[in-house]
Amino acid sequence: MTYLQAIVIALVQGVTELFPVSSLGHSVIVPAWIGGSWQTLVTQSSQPNSESSFYLAFIVALHCATALALLWFFRDDWVRIVRGFLRSLAPSPRARRLVAGDADERLAWLIVLATIPVGVTGLAFEHVFRTVFAKPEAAAILLFVNGLILLAGERARRAQPQAALPPLAGGGATATRTRRGGRTELDLAEARSSDVRISRLSFKDGVLVGSCQIAALLAGISRSGVTMVGGLWRGLSHEDAARFAFLLATPVILAAGVLKLPTLPGSAGADIHGQVVVGCVVTATAAYLSVRFLVRWFRTRTLTPFAIYCLVVGAVSAVHFSRL
């Protein structure tokens, strides 16, 4: 793998992991479109004996970089959520604490419960999904399907009544002048209000939304996209659905990366350590800028532009690869 390949693939990964257009699908389709040695990267990683694939090891490292970027961007929020989780474990005279707990406690348990289905499925079937479906033709078709899913999510949202929003805590003109890591105090207040709204989901609905991530094991189906659609389906706004999707993605992406990371020091990662370092820096930067952009985008905009992109690119790619 050349440094040019490492930078291009890392940039694609950092952007498409959070944009609802499928990073795994693009990591298959983009090299296949370029062809030559680029396409060989994808071909050898989808073979049945590809556990030692250096391309797979590289993608795993990029996933860890993406998760770290998400953790950094939402660090204030994760501090609140983790504290809420720890409070829920402490002895308390309150009965049925998970039901009666505050918003941070409920959100923490929503994330825990919603992560279980995709975690179990990923451990059991990740190799099958990768070797069977991580091929350019399949990824192109599934990217088109992803576009249809996003459009279906928009239709479902229009059928849902608009939820009343609680007032912001700490908002106001002066709050916008204080910045903490690229987020204003007003941003943090809006995040807290969003968490209150998300925490109103039932645990059943939270598990349903989290289970949507299982579809993202298929190259071409976007994790953030299908999770957002699940949130819209259960009545969340675009802003809240996007936030819940990003929070749910963080432990899943990080866990998947950490489990596969031991392959890097072995034969799979031999001779690409420099490329891995450069790629991780590029991916983390791109992911941070992407989530910062998307959090603002979904306050007032929808999934429709991304759906159109997936339909066009998926259809054109499917025709192109079918002729090869």
Side-chain angles (χ1 to χ4, degrees), residues 42 61 63 88 108 111-112 135-136 162 180 211 242 248 256 258 263 274 276 291 301 319 323:
V42 178
H63 274 75
S88 73
I111 293 172
V112 170
K135 295 178 173 60
Q162 291 288 333
R180 296 166 60 185
S211 297
L248 286 178
V258 169
T263 63
V276 167
V291 70
R301 296 177 178 87
V319 172
R323 293 177 176 177

Side-chain angles (χ1 to χ4, degrees), residues 17-129:
E17 180 66 50
L18 302 176
F19 277 71
V21 295
S22 178
S23 64
L24 186 54
H26 279 75
S27 69
V28 173
I29 291 174
V30 170
W33 264 102
I34 298 174
S37 62
W38 293 73
Q39 186 170 1
T40 304
L41 296 174
V42 178
T43 303
Q44 55 89 27
S45 67
S46 61
Q47 298 304 311
N49 59 346
S50 62
E51 292 301 329
S52 60
S53 162
F54 67 87
Y55 185 60
L56 179 60
F58 180 71
I59 294 296
V60 165
L62 299 187
H63 274 75
C64 289
T66 302
L68 291 175
L70 281 172
L71 280 173
W72 179 251
F73 183 82
F74 291 112
R75 61 192 183 279
D76 295 285
D77 311 289
W78 277 112
V79 168
R80 284 192 295 102
I81 293 168
V82 170
R83 285 175 177 171
F85 177 74
L86 295 177
R87 282 200 306 274
S88 73
L89 298 179
S92 170
R94 286 189 298 174
R96 301 179 65 192
R97 186 170 176 82
L98 292 186
V99 176
D102 62 32
D104 290 336
E105 293 178 20
R106 281 190 56 83
L107 181 57
W109 278 101
L110 277 171
I111 293 172
V112 170
L113 296 174
T115 301
I116 293 173
V118 67
V120 172
T121 306
L123 287 173
F125 299 109
E126 178 271 338
H127 182 74
V128 174
F129 282 125

Side-chain angles (χ1 to χ4, degrees), residues 36-310:
S37 62
W38 293 73
Q39 186 170 1
T40 304
L41 296 174
V42 178
T43 303
Q44 55 89 27
S45 67
S46 61
Q47 298 304 311
N49 59 346
S50 62
E51 292 301 329
S52 60
S53 162
F54 67 87
Y55 185 60
L56 179 60
F58 180 71
I59 294 296
V60 165
L62 299 187
H63 274 75
C64 289
T66 302
L68 291 175
L70 281 172
L71 280 173
W72 179 251
F73 183 82
F74 291 112
R75 61 192 183 279
D76 295 285
D77 311 289
W78 277 112
V79 168
R80 284 192 295 102
I81 293 168
V82 170
R83 285 175 177 171
F85 177 74
L86 295 177
R87 282 200 306 274
S88 73
L89 298 179
S92 170
R94 286 189 298 174
R96 301 179 65 192
R97 186 170 176 82
L98 292 186
V99 176
D102 62 32
D104 290 336
E105 293 178 20
R106 281 190 56 83
L107 181 57
W109 278 101
L110 277 171
I111 293 172
V112 170
L113 296 174
T115 301
I116 293 173
V118 67
V120 172
T121 306
L123 287 173
F125 299 109
E126 178 271 338
H127 182 74
V128 174
F129 282 125
R130 175 166 47 80
T131 55
V132 175
F133 295 101
K135 295 178 173 60
E137 299 89 342
I141 293 172
L142 288 170
L143 186 62
F144 184 87
V145 173
N146 187 70
L148 296 178
I149 292 173
L150 299 185
L151 289 180
E154 286 301 324
R155 183 173 182 177
R157 178 55 188 157
R158 287 194 293 271
Q160 292 284 347
Q162 291 288 333
L165 305 182
L168 295 179
T174 57
T176 62
R177 291 198 286 266
T178 303
R179 290 186 173 272
R180 296 166 60 185
R183 301 172 75 190
T184 66
E185 290 295 335
L186 182 56
D187 289 334
L188 297 175
E190 289 177 335
R192 288 192 290 272
S193 294
S194 180
D195 286 349
V196 170
R197 296 190 294 269
I198 295 170
S199 70
R200 293 172 181 167
L201 284 174
S202 68
F203 289 121
K204 177 183 176 181
D205 283 346
V207 171
L208 288 174
V209 174
S211 297
C212 292
Q213 296 181 95
I214 295 173
L217 294 171
L218 300 170
I221 302 298
S222 166
R223 182 190 312 278
S224 61
V226 294
T227 311
M228 272 198 68
V229 167
L232 295 174
W233 171 47
R234 303 319 299 163
L236 295 178
S237 67
H238 288 88
E239 178 184 3
D240 296 342
R243 177 174 173 79
F244 194 35
F246 295 146
L247 291 175
L248 286 178
T250 305
V252 174
I253 297 173
L254 186 60
V258 169
L259 286 174
K260 293 287 186 178
L261 208 56
T263 63
L264 272 177
S267 59
D271 301 322
I272 63 166
H273 293 155
Q275 291 91 323
V276 167
V277 172
V278 172
C280 285
V281 172
V282 172
T283 291
T285 303
Y288 181 88
L289 295 175
S290 295
V291 70
R292 184 175 175 180
F293 169 81
L294 290 171
V295 164
R296 287 167 169 77
W297 171 275
F298 286 117
R299 287 175 183 170
T300 57
R301 296 177 178 87
T302 70
L303 288 165
T304 302
F306 306 108
I308 295 172
Y309 169 85
C310 291

